[in-house]
Amino acid sequence: MMLTAGHAVPLEEQIDQWRSYLRHRQAIHTVDVAELEDHLREQVAGLVDAGLATDEAFLVAVKRMGDLDSLSREFAIEHSDRLWKQLVTPSDAGEARARVRTDAIVAFCLAVVAAVLIKIPAIFGMQLDEDAEFYAHNVSLFVLPLLTGYFVWKRQLGAGTLRWLAVAFVAAGVFANVYPFDPEASTEVLTALHLPIALWLVVGVAYAGGRWGQVAGRMDFIRFSGELFIYFVLIALGGGVLTGFMALTFESIGTDIEPFFQSWLLPCGAVGAVVVASWLVEGKQSVIENMAPVLTRLFTPLFAAMLVTFLGTMLWTGRGIDIEREVLIAFDLLLVLVLALLLYSVSARDPLSPPDIFDVMQVVLVVSALLANAVALWAIAARITEFGFSPNRVAGLGVNVLLLVNLAWSAVLYIRFLRGRGSFTRLERWQTDYLPVYAGWAAIVVIVFPPLFGYN
Amino acid sequence: MEINKDLIAASSTPIVLAILAEGDNYGYAILQRVREVSSGQMEWTDGMLYPVLHRLERLGHVEARWEVAESGRRRKYYRITSQGQAQLAEERRQWQAVDATLRGIWQALSLPVPASHPASAAPRMQEA
């Protein structure tokens, strides 16, 4: 005990340091740290009494306390409510924390760059409402290269891949802008709709970061796309609430925010939100359950019931499908939705678990959607000569055929799996292998359709 | 001696409750008492005691209060509640049943074995 006077300061410093380590653990609160510190001091005093030097006693006492990771795990099990905070920001001190912070900074910087980029054409007199066609073509070129850049940085892609990604974006920029479209040409609208689809594949290549060739890499990209969509919608909802309150409060002091909203908040917010949502999805992927498969579970039975009832009603009443202009688009969208339901249940399913009732439901959904679509296609085919081949109709039919092939073969593979004649991995492989087909078709619509239909 | 984690976890509740039944106590002293009673056989990792105490507190088996110890530091004392007493009695009943069963089996094992194979595994297990 005579030594303690001389060693008092270093011991206090050591205990301070130890305390600050404990404080970084989310599951261990300050009162617990105080309790543990009392224990540690008691232990040190006991060991010093037994003849150890203070620094030795401290080391032994810390060792006996147990390793911090398992200790904080035990605290987390007991105080599971504290774990929720851990999910938002990772508790690992040091390197992991620094990495998360850099990641956030890069993502937010890219979001700001996207927001600035979308306003640059305004300097050259391109207004959002007057030059809507220009913005409609190019909106994906303002945000997707930055998103790609984020993944290039994150996955540390090599120069070779980078070159191909750049070539793709430059080509997209050229094809989006060189064609001399007629005023209000339908091929122009088709370009605006299909360019983002084609470019999304480019984002996917960057996202997969060298794993694009593997089923797992593409499947991860499918999961990412679904989560991104959900997060984007959530952010958009939040933005809507913000705008609503902004309008209300500023109206009370006689200021109209609509010009600001239309030319600043909406475009900048939307492009920035894509990057921010991507960053959120990246950050949370291993911590929070994916939402897309949950929604799929909820809605697959409902959509299956709806479609079966639709088919039943059609048979019962004997009414055919009334062919209107929009009916093809409606059925395309239906197939897209069914495909999404199928994709996201596939993406969340353990390929090794045996078939269950949900798989049967899935097959019912796909088959009934195919039947409904067949009826619609039959009705359209009967009158196609009467309608003529407009660009919109060809694009609509093309997508329909692609979706039909995709879903029909998926149904075959799924039924084989249900009957125990094939593995679930075959279905996964088919779904992920088919992705480039959609991007290829979108590229064809962008590149070939305008000259083919005389820029009309 | 190294004791299996599951065993430590299962026995921690009755041990802590029993020590607190002797009188109010705080973490460090509880661990000292465990060492003393088990003659050093039970080696708990010190920190792990606290989640156990917090669980017992949450379940209402013990109550905690902060006091200023003679060293001038604040110290958290635990006291067993009447519910904790009942829990201790219940645990004790169960452990006695387990103990009785094991004793019975050890005895049955040790009788025939030494006669035929004096160096076989069973008697050594019993020694350990």
Side-chain angles (χ1 to χ4, degrees):
Chain A
M1 283 307 276
M2 286 201 300
L3 288 172
T4 42
H7 285 265
V9 177
L11 178 66
E12 284 309 311
E13 273 175 20
Q14 279 174 312
I15 288 182
D16 277 348
Q17 207 173 13
W18 177 82
R19 199 193 295 125
S20 75
Y21 277 131
L22 273 187
R23 287 223 175 111
H24 280 299
R25 305 293 168 141
Q26 234 92 26
I28 305 178
H29 280 189
T30 323
V31 279
D32 307 330
V33 176
E35 190 178 19
L36 291 170
E37 185 187 331
D38 177 49
H39 181 108
L40 189 81
R41 286 176 183 279
E42 194 88 343
Q43 181 78 271
V44 170
L47 290 166
V48 167
D49 277 345
L52 258 62
T54 329
D55 50 347
E56 286 174 326
F58 175 77
L59 287 178
V60 173
V62 166
K63 181 109 181 22
R64 283 204 185 157
M65 191 62 88
D67 111 273
L68 279 188
D69 280 329
S70 36
L71 188 60
S72 74
R73 204 176 311 126
E74 286 299 315
F75 269 91
I77 291 170
E78 170 49 29
H79 305 277
S80 58
D81 51 324
R82 297 177 186 173
L83 222 78
W84 286 89
K85 287 173 204 150
Q86 247 176 340
L87 299 181
V88 184
T89 50
S91 66
D92 312 316
E95 204 186 328
R97 187 172 280 257
R99 201 170 55 231
V100 166
R101 196 178 301 139
T102 331
D103 204 28
I105 292 170
V106 170
F108 275 94
C109 286
L110 285 173
V112 170
V113 172
V116 170
L117 268 186
I118 194 106
K119 289 308 290 180
I120 283 181
I123 299 173
F124 302 100
M126 306 287 265
Q127 289 309 319
L128 203 57
D129 41 354
E130 286 157 29
D131 303 287
E133 295 91 358
F134 168 80
Y135 282 99
H137 285 169
N138 290 302
V139 66
S140 48
L141 289 168
F142 285 114
V143 54
L144 296 187
L146 290 164
L147 191 54
T148 309
Y150 173 62
F151 288 121
V152 166
W153 170 76
K154 196 137 193 232
R155 310 272 189 267
Q156 305 189 326
L157 298 185
T161 323
L162 201 58
R163 204 173 304 130
W164 281 112
L165 296 173
V167 166
F169 279 115
V170 170
V174 170
F175 281 113
N177 293 298
V178 289
Y179 288 142
F181 289 109
D182 293 344
E184 294 183 23
S186 48
T187 46
E188 193 170 16
V189 178
L190 286 177
T191 299
L193 284 175
H194 285 77
L195 191 64
I197 298 173
L199 288 179
W200 195 238
L201 186 93
V202 181
V203 176
V205 172
Y207 176 87
R211 289 169 64 232
W212 183 254
Q214 303 164 17
V215 173
R218 291 192 299 266
M219 195 47 104
D220 278 344
F221 180 60
I222 290 174
R223 294 188 183 108
F224 165 77
S225 305
E227 294 304 297
L228 175 63
F229 176 72
I230 289 168
Y231 272 62
F232 184 80
V233 169
L234 289 179
I235 293 177
L237 284 176
V241 173
L242 172 72
T243 315
F245 275 102
M246 217 157 128
L248 280 176
T249 48
F250 277 84
E251 204 180 65
S252 68
I253 54 167
T255 311
D256 181 18
I257 63 146
E258 198 167 330
F260 169 74
F261 170 72
Q262 274 191 348
S263 58
W264 288 95
L265 194 60
L266 182 65
C268 298
V271 292
V274 174
V275 182
V276 172
S278 304
W279 165 70
L280 282 175
V281 173
E282 271 291 282
K284 67 107 209 172
Q285 62 180 9
S286 56
V287 208
I288 305 169
E289 175 146 28
N290 282 351
M291 265 319 282
V294 178
L295 292 178
T296 313
R297 284 252 156 189
L298 278 177
F299 281 101
T300 296
L302 296 177
F303 271 99
M306 185 273 277
L307 281 170
V308 169
T309 319
F310 169 73
L311 288 172
T313 316
M314 204 161 59
L315 276 179
W316 181 255
T317 58
R319 272 186 228 139
I321 291 177
D322 193 9
I323 298 299
E324 302 269 334
R325 287 178 72 86
E326 287 80 25
V327 81
L328 188 58
I329 294 171
F331 274 88
D332 280 354
L333 288 178
L334 175 71
L335 289 192
V336 168
L337 189 117
V338 170
L339 179 66
L341 287 174
L342 180 65
L343 266 184
Y344 287 102
S345 63
V346 167
S347 78
R349 198 182 185 288
D350 177 8
L352 295 178
S353 60
D356 59 12
I357 181 74
F358 190 78
D359 294 304
V360 178
M361 199 88 77
Q362 202 76 53
V363 172
V364 170
L365 173 74
V366 173
V367 170
S368 54
L370 286 175
L371 285 176
N373 189 61
V375 175
L377 268 188
W378 180 257
I380 291 163
R383 298 176 67 183
I384 193 78
T385 42
E386 184 185 327
F387 286 130
F389 287 96
S390 75
N392 282 342
R393 212 155 288 133
V394 175
L397 272 178
V399 170
N400 201 293
V401 169
L402 293 184
L403 288 164
L404 202 63
V405 171
N406 188 347
L407 284 174
W409 190 245
S410 302
V412 170
L413 289 174
Y414 220 136
I415 290 168
R416 273 194 203 162
F417 167 67
L418 284 185
R419 299 175 68 190
R421 299 220 183 121
S423 69
F424 197 76
T425 9
R426 299 262 320 263
L427 181 60
E428 272 188 347
R429 170 166 283 279
W430 163 249
Q431 292 291 4
T432 55
D433 282 351
Y434 206 76
L435 291 183
V437 176
Y438 291 110
W441 169 254
I444 289 172
V445 173
V446 170
I447 296 168
V448 179
F449 271 39
L452 190 67
F453 291 98
Y455 305 109
N456 192 350
Chain B
M1 179 170 69
E2 197 74 24
I3 292 180
N4 172 322
K5 265 173 95 175
D6 291 338
L7 268 182
I8 297 258
S11 58
S12 60
T13 304
I15 292 175
V16 170
L17 284 178
I19 289 171
L20 288 175
E22 295 175 337
D24 299 3
N25 223 332
Y26 62 99
Y28 178 74
I30 293 173
L31 280 174
Q32 292 295 93
R33 185 83 182 109
V34 172
R35 288 209 181 93
E36 198 183 310
V37 174
S38 69
S39 347
Q41 298 243 46
M42 289 282 279
E43 277 291 344
W44 285 2
T45 314
D46 291 8
M48 300 305 175
L49 171 68
Y50 293 94
V52 173
L53 283 169
H54 296 175
R55 180 169 52 84
L56 293 176
E57 189 184 352
R58 176 168 54 81
L59 295 173
H61 297 334
V62 303
E63 285 170 353
R65 64 176 189 280
W66 285 91
E67 270 181 24
V68 180
E70 68 272 25
S71 60
R73 283 199 304 273
R74 292 176 70 230
R75 178 166 289 163
K76 199 174 177 186
Y77 279 90
Y78 293 88
R79 192 176 73 80
I80 190 164
T81 61
S82 54
Q83 191 195 323
Q85 299 275 11
Q87 178 67 22
L88 178 60
E90 170 65 21
E91 293 261 347
R92 186 171 181 172
R93 210 179 47 73
Q94 293 182 10
W95 277 96
Q96 271 166 348
V98 173
D99 186 41
T101 312
L102 285 173
R103 273 172 205 272
I105 292 176
W106 298 155
Q107 226 150 35
L109 269 180
S110 60
L111 285 177
V113 177
S116 50
H117 312 284
S120 76
R124 254 188 288 144
M125 250 172 69
Q126 201 202 4
E127 282 161 28

